[in-house]
Amino acid sequence: MQTPTQTPAVLTRPVSWFLLAFGVWSWVIWVTFVKNLWKDGSGLAFDDAGDPTAYFWVHLTLAITSFLLGTAVGLVGLRGVRALRRSS
């Protein structure tokens, strides 16, 4: 049985730059969000004793997940940009 030849996927320049920009945006937005969550004084993130609430843990989990996904998307964009520069 012959295996089909695989050709690598090629991202266009605009798509590569968009994905890279999205990754950078994720770093800026989610790091800022976590800093603000940590300094929250409204009583949502920390109770009167200073212990984290469920609100804190849910939003921290969302931020970390979004940060990791944004990082992965940004890395795909970076690889696309680097591949386009090598082929030019």
Side-chain angles (χ1 to χ4, degrees), residues 4 17 20 25 31 33-34 46 59 62-63 67 69 76:
W17 279 108
L20 181 58
W25 173 258
V31 168
F33 180 84
V34 170
F46 298 97
H59 285 83
L62 289 171
F67 178 74
L69 291 172
V76 170

Side-chain angles (χ1 to χ4, degrees), residues 1-2 4-6 14-17 21 29 33 37 40 46 53 55 63 65 68 70-74 77 82 86 88:
M1 173 177 239
Q2 186 178 6
T5 58
Q6 294 180 346
V15 170
S16 296
W17 279 108
I29 292 301
F33 180 84
L37 182 65
D40 179 57
F46 298 97
T53 62
Y55 176 90
T65 301
L68 292 174
T71 301
V73 168
R82 290 176 66 192
R86 274 188 297 237
S88 297

